[in-house]
Amino acid sequence: MPANETAPPVKKKGRRARLIVLVLVLALFAGLGYGAYWAVDGVRASFPQTTGSLKVPGLTGTVDVKRDAHGIPQLYADNDDDLFRAQGFVHAQDRFWEMDVRRHMTSGRLSEMFGSGQVETDAFLRTLGWRQVAQEEYDKKLSPETKKYLQAYADGVNAYLKGKSGKDLSVEHAALKLSDGYQPEQWSPVDSVAWLKAMAWDLRSNMQDEIDRALMSSTLSQAQIDELYPPYPFDRNRPIVEGGKVEGGKYAPQGTTGTGTGTGTGTGANVSTGTGTGTGAGTGLAGNATAQGATVGLHTQMTSLAKTLDQIPAILGPNGSGIGSNSWVVSGRYTTTGKPLLANDPHLSPQLPSVWYQMGLHCRTASAQCQYDVAGYTFSGMPGVVIGHNADIAWGMTNLGADVTDLYLEQVKPEGYVYDNKVLPFTTREEEIKIAGEKSKKITVRTTNNGPLISDRSDELGTVGARAPVASSAPDRGPGYAVALRWTALDPGKSMDAVFKLDRAKTFDDFRKAAADFEVPSQNLIYADNKGATGNIGYQAPGRIPVRGSGDGRMPAPGWDSKYAWKGTAGGATGWIPQNELPWDYNPSRGFIVTANQAVAEGGTGAGKYPNLLTTDWGYGARSQRINDLIEAKIKDSGKISTDDMRAMQMDNSSEIAALLTPMLAKIEVKDPDVRSAQKLLEGWNYTQEPDSAAAAYFNAVWRNILKLAFGDKMPKELRIEGSCMNVHDQTSGPNDDLAEVVRECGMRGSDSAQPDGGDRWFEVVRRLVKDEKSPWWAAPKKNLTVPATTTRDELFARAMEDARWELTAKLGKDQSTWSWGRLHQLTLKNQTIGTEGPGFMQWLLNRGPWNLGGGEATVNATGWNASSGYGVTWVPSMRMVVNLNDLDKSRWINLTGASGHTYHSNYTDQTTMWAKGELLEWPFGKEAVDKATVETLTLKP
């Protein structure tokens, strides 16, 4: 079926033309050719007032905003409404451009700011309907108290906006104002709620894996695909919780000390649907639904869908096997302070400004009218503190990785879609996309009972019916196929309630009750408090996780068969795994808890196994097990862990894959003297990836070339990096290889999601394969007349070592003494939207860097890079914190950039160099400590 758009496909030239206009306007404001006056007036006009006093309509009393030398504000008020109204005002002072872009993205309205080049993105996001779901949450799900706070926050943002436009708001707004008169609209509470949808989208777990496996099925066998997605290594890498069980509808952890059982809520049947460790489910479609037409249709749909997803902005980070986070908490029994220490560093996309904004929210006097005394990391555009601590507890988050999305291949006809041999009508709605400088365009969103048809948003799918003929064995002889998305975030929920409950929680029971409302995105929540002699530590897995019918979510499912629907969808509300059955832990006997995207629990039906299916696509535990090992080694060595030890662990650069492969690489006979000299760099190397390490640079180049030769060149073009071309045999031209015509085939995948990406899934793949020196994966065709084909592991490794030597010679020079990992592994911070797509001058004006970094893929200091596309940093520890529950004023924190979103402000990137070095700032919390750190005070008055 053709995409339901009333306008032709939009080309990117409209976006480019608009960006050129913005460049010229920004040049004016930078003072190029117009004198220093414009530089001062245009750039500094938006810098916020941070001293003296300002009137803010709606306040009932004064609010003090105390900023330290890094511009980090601590707010003091006498009631909750004033506190959140002031938070909205201060967020807007420092970050309104970020907030404005973000709300336009979440509502599918980027074209209103940036022109026709964003129509495709807007159309896709309108199809998902984030804004509609957020509105429904606000209208029907959130508590009156939460809605009151959201309104107060919106009032604060609007108080700041009143009377301001253009250069008064930001340099970027000045450009839009002069180019077409753009004027921001008022902020609304739903703008804040919708941000949680963007957060959930970028943390949606295995959707990319589901697409990739379906695409692999066109060229690889199921056995080969299974080798590339091995089961989680429970024998080597510890899950988060161990030995718990579900009895009587409740999860009970094993080996706990202390009390604090808590209660949770949840709906849906208790249905055990799998162990979470299986591999493989059919060849292309779940459950071996492999009729010819369905298989061809699936491949066509997945190819185009993957290209569409590549164009959608990733606010938090690329969605792949590498993205994750670290958090761990150590009991006071094993700390130098005598109370718990809690560390957290979420791994997200590097952006400027950072996605996080540090802030403290304090009531001058605790009362029923003023309940908050909390500090930590906030999202600009949303009230409350997302990660941090209050006077009683601290908490951190990592992505749980639960499988909360399923793709359904739908049989479609002009009059509807096929479901259990019946044709049902689509639910439809029309969306109008307004475009700056052009006429509006309309799209029609079609929805099935499995979710919206996201494939409608690709013009390439208009001929899918012709390219996917339906065989007579298929369930129906309809003209084609489409893809629907079932996703938990498209059901209205109460996650915004959870934020405020976490901020004021005082006990583990409070914490668990707050977690019960944290439905989307599903996160690992760790906990610490300062109660008792040594405090308490805990963990809770919250989230809305579906109970499936048939299938395990590894492959797209046949939407025409109700057996594959999520439980409950046919008869009403969807059944989720009840909150009471989700794993938790409290004061485990080992004395610490580590969450770093590894498996939550070992699945199965035996004793000590977890019966509910959370996902089959966990992270593989490289980071989590390294953290476990570091904690245990420190306890064994000294018996105690300090705040500085926690910081040092966050900066650990050890490479698990280097420790596995380097001894093998060192033994390979190398004849070329230049390659041999590079090989010598690995001798005596301790496998740590410091920025100045030549050995780390060479090893990672070897690793990248091993992946390319063994796996990358065997991937279908849909997964290979865009622009990478190779000669392949066209099997349609002859019955065998000898007769097949050689054709040139180029990759199609974007740089963030191309495979193999080199994450810890690939660590596990190679760990299993290196035992078989003659595995077919080690076969690579001859490179030229002098470089023969490889058939064994060592032959391929030798070729990778040679290719790596000449790659680094081209990138870093022939002199190995000048090589360093940091020169390859660089971070450039890019201002979102304008700073990412404009010409060089625009990037020079708004972007900063590069910084040479250590760390790498699946290390604790997780500065990620995609091995298919190069060595540049693609995701980072977006912040780092260590909370000291014995003395909160001795906690430490750092942000990736700075508090300000205004280019050339002193707090624009003032934390970045410290962040790169692994340094942490003092984190004052108590009134006396905050006053001591304060350098500027602004009083907000009624």
Side-chain angles (χ1 to χ4, degrees):
M1 294 295 291
N4 286 344
E5 298 186 13
T6 59
V10 178
K11 306 301 181 183
K12 290 190 176 182
K13 64 182 181 180
R15 172 166 55 189
R16 180 73 173 180
R18 182 163 176 77
L19 288 173
I20 290 173
V21 173
L22 296 178
V23 170
L24 296 175
V25 176
L26 286 169
L28 181 148
F29 277 92
L32 298 185
Y34 291 89
Y37 168 76
W38 285 110
V40 174
D41 183 64
V43 174
R44 295 185 180 177
S46 60
F47 289 5
Q49 179 179 335
T50 53
T51 60
S53 64
L54 285 171
K55 289 187 177 181
V56 176
L59 288 178
T60 60
T62 62
V63 179
D64 292 323
V65 182
K66 301 184 177 185
R67 285 180 165 90
D68 66 10
H70 295 281
I72 300 170
Q74 305 276 349
L75 278 54
Y76 290 85
D78 292 320
N79 62 72
D80 295 339
D81 284 0
D82 281 358
L83 194 59
F84 293 117
R85 184 173 282 103
Q87 185 182 19
F89 186 91
V90 172
H91 272 166
Q93 278 189 307
D94 284 331
R95 298 284 191 91
F96 186 69
W97 170 255
E98 175 191 12
M99 294 165 60
D100 203 14
V101 170
R102 185 177 291 164
R103 67 162 161 183
H104 279 79
M105 192 207 72
T106 58
S107 58
R109 296 169 54 207
L110 287 170
S111 300
E112 295 178 22
M113 298 182 78
F114 303 110
S116 60
Q118 297 296 327
V119 168
E120 291 179 5
T121 296
D122 284 345
F124 186 83
L125 296 176
R126 295 283 187 98
T127 299
L128 294 181
W130 290 354
R131 177 74 184 197
Q132 286 87 346
V133 179
Q135 184 70 57
E136 192 171 350
E137 287 181 352
Y138 184 79
D139 291 341
K140 300 178 181 179
K141 291 289 186 177
L142 299 181
S143 70
E145 184 180 55
T146 293
K147 293 168 72 170
K148 183 177 68 169
Y149 295 158
L150 286 164
Q151 186 61 61
Y153 180 91
D155 290 344
V157 176
N158 293 328
Y160 177 75
L161 293 179
K162 187 176 182 180
K164 294 183 176 66
S165 64
K167 68 180 181 179
D168 298 326
L169 295 171
S170 70
V171 169
E172 297 93 334
H173 278 109
L176 291 182
K177 177 75 172 179
L178 290 184
S179 63
D180 68 1
Y182 174 81
Q183 176 66 31
E185 64 191 33
Q186 293 281 287
W187 193 267
S188 80
V190 181
D191 291 332
S192 297
V193 179
W195 166 237
L196 287 171
K197 301 305 169 186
M199 181 181 174
W201 175 251
D202 284 343
L203 300 175
R204 63 192 180 274
S205 186
N206 76 335
M207 181 173 163
Q208 192 70 59
D209 288 330
E210 193 173 333
I211 293 171
D212 290 354
R213 281 189 289 260
L215 291 172
M216 286 179 187
S217 66
S218 66
T219 59
L220 301 177
S221 70
Q222 189 60 47
Q224 289 174 310
I225 295 173
D226 289 346
E227 284 187 297
L228 300 185
Y229 289 88
Y232 185 88
F234 286 101
D235 60 332
R236 192 177 66 255
N237 293 344
R238 174 183 290 166
I240 297 174
V241 300
E242 299 174 273
K245 57 185 177 181
V246 175
E247 286 186 345
K250 291 186 177 181
Y251 180 86
Q254 186 180 64
T256 62
T257 61
T259 60
T261 58
T263 58
T265 59
T267 60
N270 173 20
V271 179
S272 175
T273 56
T275 66
T277 60
T279 60
T283 54
L285 272 179
N288 292 305
T290 55
Q292 179 186 1
T295 300
V296 177
L298 176 72
H299 186 268
T300 305
Q301 293 281 344
M302 291 301 107
T303 299
S304 193
L305 178 58
K307 291 179 66 177
T308 300
L309 293 177
D310 271 344
Q311 299 173 10
I312 305 305
I315 293 294
L316 298 181
N319 187 269
S321 66
I323 191 170
S325 302
N326 300 325
S327 72
W328 65 94
V329 60
V330 181
S331 167
R333 291 186 288 131
Y334 296 120
T335 66
T336 58
T337 66
K339 291 289 176 70
L341 294 172
L342 185 150
N344 195 191
D345 55 284
H347 308 155
L348 304 173
S349 176
Q351 51 187 271
L352 183 59
S354 166
V355 69
W356 298 111
Y357 184 95
Q358 296 149 290
M359 178 178 274
L361 301 172
H362 307 278
C363 289
R364 294 190 182 100
T365 303
S367 68
Q369 289 73 41
C370 206
Q371 307 171 74
Y372 294 89
D373 187 17
V374 60
Y377 294 86
T378 71
F379 288 135
S380 301
M382 198 176 91
V385 170
V386 178
I387 295 175
H389 71 81
N390 57 34
D392 300 288
I393 76 164
W395 68 95
M397 296 185 190
T398 63
N399 198 23
L400 189 148
D403 186 356
V404 296
T405 61
D406 277 343
L407 297 171
Y408 287 89
L409 186 66
E410 303 283 0
Q411 295 255 337
V412 297
K413 291 186 173 184
E415 65 272 23
Y417 61 99
V418 178
Y419 193 74
D420 283 348
N421 297 315
K422 297 179 181 179
V423 179
L424 304 180
F426 293 108
T427 300
T428 63
R429 71 175 189 274
E430 189 174 85
E431 295 276 351
E432 181 180 6
I433 299 174
K434 297 179 181 179
I435 307 167
E438 299 184 25
K439 292 183 179 179
S440 299
K441 296 182 179 178
K442 294 182 180 180
I443 64 169
T444 298
V445 177
R446 302 186 296 173
T447 301
T448 74
N449 52 16
N450 290 319
L453 292 185
I454 57 176
S455 55
D456 276 357
R457 300 286 72 86
S458 172
D459 59 285
E460 292 185 9
L461 296 176
T463 58
V464 68
R467 294 206 298 264
V470 179
S472 59
S473 59
D476 137 271
R477 290 188 173 86
Y481 297 92
V483 176
L485 172 65
R486 188 75 172 93
W487 178 33
T488 56
L490 299 185
D491 289 83
K494 300 185 292 183
S495 293
M496 198 69 236
D497 283 347
V499 172
F500 297 111
K501 289 182 179 180
L502 280 173
D503 284 359
R504 60 178 185 260
K506 296 182 181 298
T507 66
F508 189 56
D509 282 354
D510 293 343
F511 170 79
R512 290 197 67 211
K513 289 173 182 176
D517 286 339
F518 207 102
E519 298 165 326
V520 175
S522 185
Q523 298 288 286
N524 293 307
L525 295 177
I526 61 167
Y527 167 93
D529 68 36
N530 51 21
K531 306 295 190 298
T534 59
N536 301 289
I537 64 173
Y539 163 80
Q540 176 67 59
R544 181 186 286 163
I545 303 170
V547 176
R548 290 175 171 81
S550 297
D552 61 5
R554 287 176 57 84
M555 289 284 190
W560 54 82
D561 189 342
S562 63
K563 291 187 300 185
Y564 291 88
W566 288 3
K567 288 291 185 180
T569 52
T574 298
W576 317 112
I577 297 174
Q579 179 70 26
N580 277 337
E581 292 189 13
L582 291 176
W584 59 278
D585 213 347
Y586 189 70
N587 290 334
S589 57
R590 65 181 176 273
F592 58 90
I593 301 170
V594 176
T595 85
N597 317 112
Q598 79 271 40
V600 172
E602 185 169 2
T605 56
K609 300 296 180 67
Y610 184 69
N612 294 320
L613 176 64
L614 300 179
T615 186
T616 62
D617 288 307
W618 302 112
Y620 282 79
R623 284 178 287 107
S624 62
Q625 193 56 43
R626 175 63 177 173
I627 296 167
N628 274 295
D629 292 344
L630 289 170
I631 293 172
E632 289 180 329
K634 189 66 180 179
I635 292 173
K636 182 178 179 180
D637 179 53
S638 66
K640 300 292 182 182
I641 293 174
S642 68
T643 300
D644 195 58
D645 291 331
M646 301 283 277
R647 183 204 63 81
M649 291 177 193
Q650 289 179 323
M651 294 303 295
D652 182 79
N653 287 326
S654 178
S655 169
E656 178 186 284
I657 194 64
L660 174 69
L661 297 184
T662 298
M664 300 179 190
L665 297 172
K667 294 178 181 178
I668 294 176
E669 183 178 351
V670 175
K671 296 180 180 179
D672 186 308
D674 289 318
V675 180
R676 172 61 185 145
S677 66
Q679 184 186 36
K680 287 182 178 180
L681 292 172
L682 302 179
E683 296 176 1
W685 180 44
N686 64 357
Y687 319 131
T688 60
Q689 301 169 104
E690 301 299 331
D692 60 356
S693 172
Y698 182 59
F699 172 79
N700 281 311
V702 174
W703 170 238
R704 179 173 185 248
N705 280 279
I706 287 174
L707 291 170
K708 178 181 183 296
L709 292 169
F711 309 105
D713 290 347
K714 300 177 179 70
M715 291 284 170
K717 64 181 182 296
E718 292 87 359
L719 271 68
R720 298 202 311 271
I721 186 73
E722 186 176 9
S724 65
C725 300
M726 57 189 294
N727 294 327
V728 299
H729 289 103
D730 180 7
Q731 298 297 329
T732 63
S733 63
N736 55 56
D737 285 348
D738 294 333
L739 298 178
E741 179 184 353
V742 175
V743 297
R744 193 70 170 163
E745 185 182 84
C746 296
M748 301 170 60
R749 184 61 69 85
S751 59
D752 284 345
S753 57
Q755 292 295 332
D757 61 17
D760 67 354
R761 173 166 66 87
W762 293 99
F763 289 15
E764 190 64 22
V765 169
V766 172
R767 179 185 294 278
R768 290 167 177 263
L769 289 176
V770 289
K771 301 172 185 177
D772 182 0
E773 296 186 23
K774 296 184 179 181
S775 166
W777 291 106
W778 305 130
K782 65 180 181 180
K783 184 177 181 180
N784 50 45
L785 294 177
T786 61
V787 181
T790 68
T791 59
T792 69
R793 180 196 69 194
D794 286 355
E795 288 174 352
L796 186 139
F797 282 11
R799 183 160 153 187
M801 291 171 69
E802 181 178 355
D803 290 351
R805 175 43 160 127
W806 302 120
E807 181 186 2
L808 294 197
T809 297
K811 292 180 180 294
L812 302 179
K814 188 173 183 180
D815 183 359
Q816 293 173 192
S817 67
T818 67
W819 290 4
S820 72
W821 175 227
R823 286 182 61 198
L824 282 177
H825 192 52
Q826 292 186 325
L827 168 68
T828 297
L829 292 172
K830 295 185 177 182
N831 176 284
Q832 295 301 287
T833 61
I834 292 180
T836 58
E837 298 187 40
F841 165 72
M842 185 184 300
Q843 297 182 25
W844 172 84
L845 179 67
L846 297 174
N847 300 344
R848 298 292 182 270
W851 283 265
N852 295 348
L853 300 185
E857 195 70 28
T859 61
V860 181
N861 181 22
T863 54
W865 54 287
N866 186 307
S868 290
S869 57
Y871 305 97
V873 176
T874 58
W875 45 271
V876 295
S878 56
M879 61 81 157
R880 298 187 185 100
M881 74 176 194
V882 178
V883 181
N884 181 337
L885 272 297
N886 182 62
D887 186 346
L888 292 170
D889 290 330
K890 292 183 179 179
S891 300
R892 299 290 182 265
W893 62 353
I894 197 77
N895 204 352
L896 173 64
T897 61
S900 179
H902 299 286
T903 185
Y904 294 108
H905 192 281
S906 60
N907 300 132
Y908 192 46
T909 56
D910 60 318
Q911 298 186 51
T912 307
T913 298
M914 292 179 286
W915 170 92
K917 294 177 179 178
E919 298 173 1
L920 299 175
L921 298 174
E922 292 185 356
W923 182 354
F925 179 73
K927 181 68 164 54
E928 184 177 342
V930 168
D931 286 345
K932 184 178 179 180
T934 297
V935 297
E936 294 179 324
T937 299
L938 173 68
T939 300
L940 304 179
K941 297 181 176 181

